[in-house]
Amino acid sequence: MHMSDGLVSPQTALVFGVIAAIGLAIAASRARSDLDDRTAPMAGLVTAFVFAVQMINFPILPGASGHLLGGAIVAILVGPWVGSICIAIVLVVQALLFADGGLTALGTSIVNMAFLGVFTAYGVALVLRRFARRSRAGLLVTAFVAALLNVVVASLGFVLQYAVGGAGEVGLGTVFALMVGLHTLIGVGEGVITAATIGAVAATRPDLVYLLRGSRPPVEVRGRRTEGAPS
C-alpha cells in the first residue's frame, strides 16, 4: 500500500499532499475531545503495534507494496480522529527513517490509509455497533468486517490515485486486479488479527474500547457476562 516517489505525477502527489495536510489539521482539532486518560495511552500502544505489523510487507507492483494496515484496530480502540493521526505518524516515521514509501507520495499514502481506511472501518463499526454490543461474538465479527473493508477501500483509493495521475508503466486494469485482489486476501488476515486484538482488550477492559463507550454493553468475559464500563 505504500506508494513510492514517481508512481504518480508530481501534480497528483501535490494535490493529495494538500488533502492529507488539511485532513490532519482537522483530525488534530477533533482529536482533542477524545484524548483522555484512557485514550492517550492506548493511542501510543496501537501506534507502536501498527508500526510493527506494517513493517512486514511484500512487493505487489513496481513502487508499491502490500501489508496490514491497522485502520480498524485504531478506529475501534481510539476512535477515527485519534486513529487517523496514529496511522499518519506511522507513515511519516516509516518514510523518514526507513524509506518505506516516498516522501513526495506521503500524502497519497496518508489519504489512503489514515483517512479512507480508518474512516471506512469506523463507519462499518458504527453500523454494526448495536450488534457488537450484544455479545463477544458480535464484537469479533464487527472487528473482522471493519478490518476487511478498511483494507479493500484503501486499495481502491490507491487505484483511483493511479487512474488520476499514474506515472508507472503498468496498466490500470493490472493495477486494479493486483491491488484490490491481493489486498482482499490481506484484509482477511487483518480481519482475524483485528478481531483477536479487539477481543483480547474487550475481555479485560471493555472501557478501553472506544466503540463500546457511551453505554453498558454486555460483554462476555471468560464464559460469563459482565457490564462494560460507561464512558
Side-chain angles (χ1 to χ4, degrees):
M1 189 68 69
H2 286 79
M3 190 178 290
S4 66
D5 294 322
L7 194 58
V8 294
S9 67
Q11 296 88 343
T12 303
L14 177 61
V15 168
F16 282 98
V18 171
I19 293 173
I22 294 173
L24 288 174
I26 296 172
S29 175
R30 298 291 297 272
R32 294 176 183 175
S33 60
D34 289 334
L35 286 172
D36 54 25
D37 58 351
R38 293 174 295 179
T39 304
M42 180 61 73
L45 290 174
V46 296
T47 300
F49 179 79
V50 171
F51 179 86
V53 298
Q54 282 199 10
M55 293 301 290
I56 305 173
N57 56 61
F58 53 90
I60 293 181
L61 297 166
S65 62
H67 52 77
L68 300 177
L69 303 189
I73 289 177
V74 298
I76 294 174
L77 288 180
V78 298
W81 300 111
V82 177
S84 62
I85 295 174
C86 293
I87 298 295
I89 290 173
V90 169
L91 296 175
V92 170
V93 172
Q94 288 176 341
L96 291 177
L97 299 184
F98 298 93
D100 196 357
L103 288 176
T104 61
L106 188 56
T108 60
S109 296
I110 289 175
V111 169
N112 291 338
M113 289 181 267
F115 293 114
L116 289 180
V118 170
F119 280 89
T120 293
Y122 190 68
V124 172
L126 278 181
V127 171
L128 299 177
R129 180 162 58 178
R130 181 175 298 181
F131 179 62
R133 287 173 167 176
R134 290 179 181 175
S135 67
R136 178 177 175 81
L139 178 62
L140 298 184
V141 171
T142 298
F144 177 88
V145 175
L148 172 61
L149 293 181
N150 135 74
V151 175
V152 173
V153 170
S155 69
L156 287 172
F158 181 103
V159 175
L160 175 61
Q161 291 165 349
Y162 193 85
V164 170
E169 299 179 355
V170 182
L172 181 61
T174 301
V175 171
F176 176 86
L178 289 175
M179 289 299 295
V180 178
L182 290 176
H183 275 91
T184 299
L185 296 177
I186 292 173
V188 173
E190 177 154 342
V192 173
I193 293 173
T194 300
T197 303
I198 300 300
V201 174
T204 55
R205 290 290 304 275
D207 60 301
L208 295 180
V209 181
Y210 183 91
L211 183 68
L212 300 181
R213 294 184 186 179
S215 67
R216 294 180 175 271
V219 178
E220 296 175 7
V221 181
R222 298 177 182 176
R224 61 187 177 85
R225 293 171 68 85
T226 186
E227 295 293 329
S231 61

